Each structure stands twice: as structure tokens, then as C-alpha cells.
Amino acid sequence: MLYNAFMNRGYARIAPGARLNAIIELTGRSDTVADIGCDHGRLGAALLQCEKARHVIATDISAMSLEKGKRLAQKCGLGEKMSFFEGSGLEPLARERIKADTAVIAGMGGELIAEIMAAEPEIAKSIGAFILQPMRGIEKLRLFLRENGYAVTNERIVFEGGRYYQVIKCCFGGETPKLEGFPEGMLYIGEMSVINDDPLLRPMLEKRRGGHIKRIEKARANGAELSGLEKEVRLIDAVLKIAEDKK
């Protein structure tokens, strides 16, 4: 196994947390994975060490981050398996005419992820699968995917460092699996998390619902209304009921 080879040669090994592990698991096995906005290259190195990729294309707008990524690749014995390119979003793939089977865009806002995919539409459509992990603004990302022909094929909820994260796997074309009764206006969570019976679905939604209720009650005490939050509470209740009835 690759794990033993790395350990026997004295190379560093990445120890991914829950969030990176979920990304790695959803990535599956690919010849070439593009890590868009790679930061220091930990995800790309972990993908290679877990044998999820034969080669990783690491891109970032920061030259300093890329240099750190190159040093990490050398420490991990992956210098020949990782290629680094400076640039914004998918632009390096277009510029260098790189074909990626899978692209990961993680650790940034959902709106920015959508902008990255929209900026190079033909490149985005040519990529076999995207693994997306927004830190916030997942509603805007889901809306972009829905309106631009991307099908959500899998999802994962993870809890790390005291907060919940959602990881989305999607591709251009095809259809997102539909769940009967799933509310059309729900953009915070997707059907796949309900279909998969994700064990963190209920605690994540209940935590979000509780936060909304507190804000609504505080606003009402001050003579104000938060109709947007009230609507989402109803949507959350609908999803929780569907999840319960599905058992």
C-alpha cells in the first residue's frame, strides 16, 4: 500500500480531519484531480497518499501559497505527482490546456465558488465531477448549480471544530435525484443528504432552526419581523418531517 511506502521512506504523511476526509471520500478515484485554490497543498497531497488520484494539479492565486505547497509535496515525496500553477479559479486549466477528471473547490464562500465556475463555463462543463465545499453561502451555490445545468450526485455533512460543513459532488448535465415532497425553496440542504440518511442531517438542521427561532423571538420582542428566517424555519420543518417519514 502507498501508506507503507511513504512511511518506510520517511516521508511526511498528511492527517486529514473530518472535512478533508469527506472531500477525499467523495472524490473517488481519478487520474487527474485539480485542486482549485489549493492553499498549502494539503488536500492534494492527501489525495495522492490515499491513492484517490494519480496526479494533482494545484492552482492558487497566491504565489506564496504555491511555494508552500511545493515544499509540502517534496516533504511528502510527491514532487513528481503534483503540478503547481498560479492563477485565478479555473483559468490555469484553460491557459495550460489541462484536462481534469475531477476538480475540488473547497474552503471558500459559496458565491465565490459559483463565480469561479461561471468564469470558465466551457472548462467547467468539461470536468467530469466537481467536489465543492463552501464555508458559507451554500444557498447561492446551490442556486447556481440548479440554474446552470449541474446535477448533484452525492453529498456529505461533516462536523469539525464546532461547526457543520456540507460537501457537494456534482457534474454538468444529468438530473439531481428528486425526493417526493422536498420543498422547492430549500437551498440550505439538498435532497441527497435526506436520501442518504446522513446521520448529521437532523442535528445540523435542528441547530440552524434553533438559531433562527432565537433571532425571530428577539426581533418580535423589538416589534420587528424576520420573514425570511420564518420561511426557512418552515422549510426546515418540512425537510425534518420528510426525513422522519422516510425511516
Side-chain angles (χ1 to χ4, degrees):
M1 294 294 290
L2 194 58
Y3 174 88
N4 290 330
F6 277 105
M7 294 304 291
N8 290 342
R9 295 173 190 171
Y11 292 125
R13 184 166 180 85
I14 304 299
R19 185 169 61 92
L20 287 190
N21 263 327
I23 293 170
I24 291 167
E25 290 172 6
L26 286 186
T27 298
R29 294 183 182 273
S30 300
D31 282 335
T32 302
V33 176
D35 183 7
I36 308 300
C38 67
D39 196 25
H40 299 167
R42 292 184 72 250
L43 173 61
L47 285 168
L48 289 165
Q49 291 180 339
C50 293
E51 298 183 309
K52 296 296 186 180
R54 293 181 180 274
H55 194 84
V56 168
I57 305 298
T59 78
D60 203 282
I61 199 169
S62 166
M64 184 178 297
S65 290
L66 291 176
E67 286 302 316
K68 291 180 180 179
K70 291 175 183 178
R71 290 198 293 270
L72 178 63
Q74 293 298 325
K75 289 180 181 178
C76 293
L78 301 169
E80 296 182 358
K81 294 179 179 290
M82 295 184 72
S83 301
F84 295 85
F85 298 93
E86 184 177 350
S88 177
L90 301 176
E91 182 274 330
L93 303 188
R95 184 185 71 228
E96 304 294 334
R97 299 182 179 179
I98 295 170
K99 173 67 175 178
D101 303 300
T102 303
V104 179
I105 313 179
M108 57 188 80
E111 187 172 9
L112 178 55
I113 294 174
E115 290 173 357
I116 286 172
M117 296 174 71
E120 296 285 352
E122 295 308 312
I123 295 296
K125 291 175 184 178
S126 74
I127 293 170
F130 277 95
I131 311 299
L132 310 174
Q133 186 272 297
M135 302 297 284
R136 57 193 172 277
I138 195 168
E139 298 90 345
K140 292 183 178 180
L141 177 57
R142 288 189 188 278
L143 185 60
F144 168 82
L145 297 176
R146 180 186 296 180
E147 292 180 344
N148 288 273
Y150 288 88
V152 175
T153 59
N154 209 345
E155 299 199 36
R156 189 72 54 81
I157 302 170
V158 295
F159 186 75
E160 181 180 80
R163 63 173 292 187
Y164 292 97
Y165 300 92
Q166 297 184 62
V167 186
I168 299 172
K169 184 172 188 175
C170 66
C171 63
F172 181 74
E175 292 287 337
T176 299
K178 299 298 181 184
L179 187 62
E180 185 177 354
F182 193 88
E184 180 72 18
M186 171 54 86
L187 291 171
Y188 178 69
I189 195 75
E191 288 101 323
M192 286 305 304
S193 290
V194 183
I195 292 170
N196 291 340
D197 291 323
D198 194 300
L200 292 179
L201 173 66
R202 177 170 290 278
M204 183 182 74
L205 288 182
E206 288 180 344
K207 180 179 180 180
R208 186 171 178 85
R209 185 185 189 280
H212 285 356
I213 292 296
K214 287 181 181 179
R215 291 179 62 190
I216 290 168
E217 291 175 348
K218 184 176 180 180
R220 285 176 178 171
N222 293 321
E225 292 187 6
L226 296 175
S227 58
L229 292 187
E230 292 172 357
K231 178 182 178 181
E232 187 171 332
V233 167
R234 292 193 293 272
L235 293 174
I236 289 173
D237 288 341
V239 173
L240 289 173
K241 185 177 187 307
I242 292 169
E244 185 64 31
D245 292 344
K246 185 175 175 291
K247 293 181 178 180

